[in-house]
Amino acid sequence: MSDTILRPTFYEGEILPSQDLVASVDAARGQLARHERYVHRWGIVTGLQLKGTKTPDGKGGEYMAVSLTEGMAADGSGREIIVVGEVPLNPEDFGHQINGKKDLWYPVFLSGRDENAASSSLLTGACTSSLPTQVKETYDITYGTPGAEQSLDEQTAPGISDGPADGVTTSAWLVLLGFVQWDPDRKVFTAVQDTNADGTVGRRYIGVNAANVVAGGGTLQLATHPTGSPDAKTIMALEIHETNDGELVFGKQNSDGSVSSVFTVDSKGDLTITGKFTSAVKPGSIQVQSGIASDGVVLPLPPGITSPDQADLHIHVTPRAITDYPPPPQKAAGEIWISMPLECLVDDVRRVNCRIIWLKAGGVAADVSEAAGLCDYTIVAAVPAAGG
Amino acid sequence: MSEQMSFVYVQATRHVLSVLTTLAASKTPPQVTDLASPSLLVRDLPNADPLHKGTVPQGIFQLTPDLLNVFTGDVISEALINPRGYSWKPDTKDVQALSGSGVTVASASPGVTVTLPVASSGTTKILAFYAGADPAKSDYIPASIPGGSTTITFGQSSLGVGTYVLVLVEEFPPVVLLV
């Protein structure tokens, strides 16, 4: 990483070396890359959807032919990645990279890479044979093991003054496209979806880093998809506008981009909703939660209670007498160890302190072992009659 | 109304450390801030030193919610009495008993050395917790053993002699070590 940005300049009569011309291009690319990675958040800009088509395999069964639609992404180095045209995913590539098993969701990644274009035989240097005069900004589609999608934010960011990564001298930056399933016997894809198995990680789209977002025309809208997007079942939007003396509205976005409000707050603070208002917290009400808790966990508040200040909390815990606790690690064959409660209380942040102690029958003072225990708990939240 | 069970697990290594059941299920299951804020208390774990079998009551650790997550599902009675014998499986969206055994966690005086019984094909993640400057939470050091390797020594600058360290090695039961 250089400690200052250098920008080439030229003078009359200069003998222009090729590296100065290259530096001119790199200066612009570097500036754009730094903008992309610091003003924006990396991800999919448009398209790049994994499409699956059920296809007969000629043996009475079927497989999923998966392709990637054209589109654009910006990776974490600020590099632009363009995929032109729809690209089929080759199952052989998956087979080379991953020892896949059935019923698991494997992440699919896109990364950018520079590749020298074939040199032109018509253009030769004075003393050398021809060299490439273009760099192809190409890409790779790779696969990961289940769970690899969890560590995408741990990828190494470039230095503050660096330009875009080339994917050759620097590690390729992975952009998550979606997930596929694999049949190891037939060596084909069998399913495709946008999220991982538990739905917690999905395709990442670009974002913006901003402390202020200011509209120029009196209306500012956040929406879950572009207006009219065919990928959306229902586009939801949140809009702040200056009409009607100023309002914040929430609801479904119409085809013309306006919002059908189901929730409106005006500039005076008046709230209007079209649905029902539900709250479990009524003044004078009692909310109860109970169950079993292990040592160290914090007891949750009853449904409807969001803060301990909303109600008077009455908490009761009782140690569970269990005969199936795992024996202490030092128990040897033939020994008899007996467990009994050591402590069972809730601290000032509602954290359970519940332990048992094991005593060896016929043992000496050192033959003890402490272990985490279980307790039955009940929390009663009494909402004051005048508040809540 | 059916009882549900929440498993509090470490995101990086997927170890389940605590469980809780709720009889009155709400529309949204408990979040990690509901069950581990300001911190999850973890203690009384087995000693990594095979010469001193037993739990280590002096090894007390406090894990903050940013390192944890919660899965809520059906009650698993075996996991209720032994939650630390389980780990979260993201690909099948459930918790399963830890299957690994034979890992060695030893003092490097200073630091910790972790040795797998056999090399794994993928990276094995490790987290080591210890008492830091803030008494309300434990500091931690991430480490990993690359695929094909079996051992790593780490934490020489932070894990001095006399430090109690909670070592979480992916797929293996948690242990506490006195450096």
Side-chain angles (χ1 to χ4, degrees), chain A residues 104 197-198 289-300 303 322 324 326 329-330 343 351 353 355 369-370 374 377, chain B residues 18-24 34-35 37-41 43-44 53-55 57 62 80-82 88 90-91 93:
Chain A
L104 297 180
D198 62 4
Q289 181 61 278
S290 65
I292 305 168
S294 67
D295 181 57
V297 74
V298 174
L299 295 180
I322 296 204
D324 296 334
Q330 63 268 53
E343 66 170 342
R351 190 162 43 208
N353 287 247
R355 293 191 294 160
S369 185
E370 296 163 9
L374 283 176
Y377 73 90
Chain B
S18 224
V19 293
L20 174 134
T21 71
T22 50
L23 189 60
D34 297 324
L35 303 183
S37 194
S39 63
L40 184 76
L41 182 64
R43 53 185 176 171
D44 292 320
K53 288 188 178 180
T55 58
Q62 302 198 65
L80 196 56
I81 56 173
N82 183 27
W88 161 248
D91 46 345
K93 272 179 76 169

Side-chain angles (χ1 to χ4, degrees), chain A residues 129-358:
Chain A
S129 58
S130 62
L131 292 172
T133 58
Q134 287 180 318
V135 173
K136 282 203 301 189
E137 296 186 359
T138 187
Y139 58 86
D140 293 306
I141 298 173
T142 56
Y143 306 89
T145 53
E149 72 277 3
Q150 305 276 359
S151 51
L152 293 179
D153 284 323
E154 296 169 21
Q155 298 182 84
T156 304
I160 186 77
S161 61
D162 288 349
D166 59 14
V168 177
T169 60
T170 54
S171 298
W173 190 285
L174 304 178
V175 177
L176 179 65
L177 299 175
F179 297 82
V180 291
Q181 284 191 325
W182 175 252
D183 183 336
D185 299 320
R186 295 184 295 154
K187 300 199 187 319
V188 293
F189 298 120
T190 55
V192 61
Q193 68 180 25
D194 288 348
T195 62
N196 63 351
D198 62 4
T200 54
V201 179
R203 289 160 54 83
R204 177 184 302 212
Y205 294 86
I206 55 162
V208 63
N209 296 321
N212 288 293
V213 179
V214 180
T219 298
L220 180 66
Q221 189 182 100
L222 294 175
T224 56
H225 264 97
T227 304
S229 170
D231 300 325
K233 299 187 192 68
T234 304
I235 301 175
M236 300 302 295
L238 181 72
E239 184 176 288
I240 309 172
H241 54 234
E242 294 170 6
T243 51
N244 301 329
D245 201 31
E247 295 174 325
L248 180 145
V249 299
F250 167 78
K252 291 183 183 177
Q253 190 190 64
N254 301 314
S255 57
D256 63 357
S258 61
V259 179
S260 285
S261 174
V262 295
F263 173 102
T264 304
V265 177
D266 65 20
S267 57
K268 295 188 290 296
D270 291 337
L271 172 68
T272 306
I273 60 173
T274 62
K276 292 187 290 186
F277 183 81
T278 305
S279 171
V281 182
K282 298 188 180 76
S285 67
I286 299 280
Q287 311 297 329
V288 182
Q289 181 61 278
S290 65
I292 305 168
S294 67
D295 181 57
V297 74
V298 174
L299 295 180
L301 294 168
I305 305 293
T306 55
S307 163
D309 300 329
Q310 282 180 284
D312 296 321
L313 298 179
H314 305 263
I315 303 176
H316 183 80
V317 288
T318 308
R320 281 176 77 87
I322 296 204
T323 57
D324 296 334
Y325 277 121
Q330 63 268 53
K331 178 180 181 295
E335 292 180 345
I336 296 176
W337 288 71
I338 301 165
S339 68
M340 60 183 66
L342 177 63
E343 66 170 342
C344 188
L345 56 94
V346 173
D347 65 18
D348 56 355
V349 292
R350 300 195 316 280
R351 190 162 43 208
V352 170
N353 287 247
C354 181
R355 293 191 294 160
I356 60 171
I357 185 167
W358 289 94

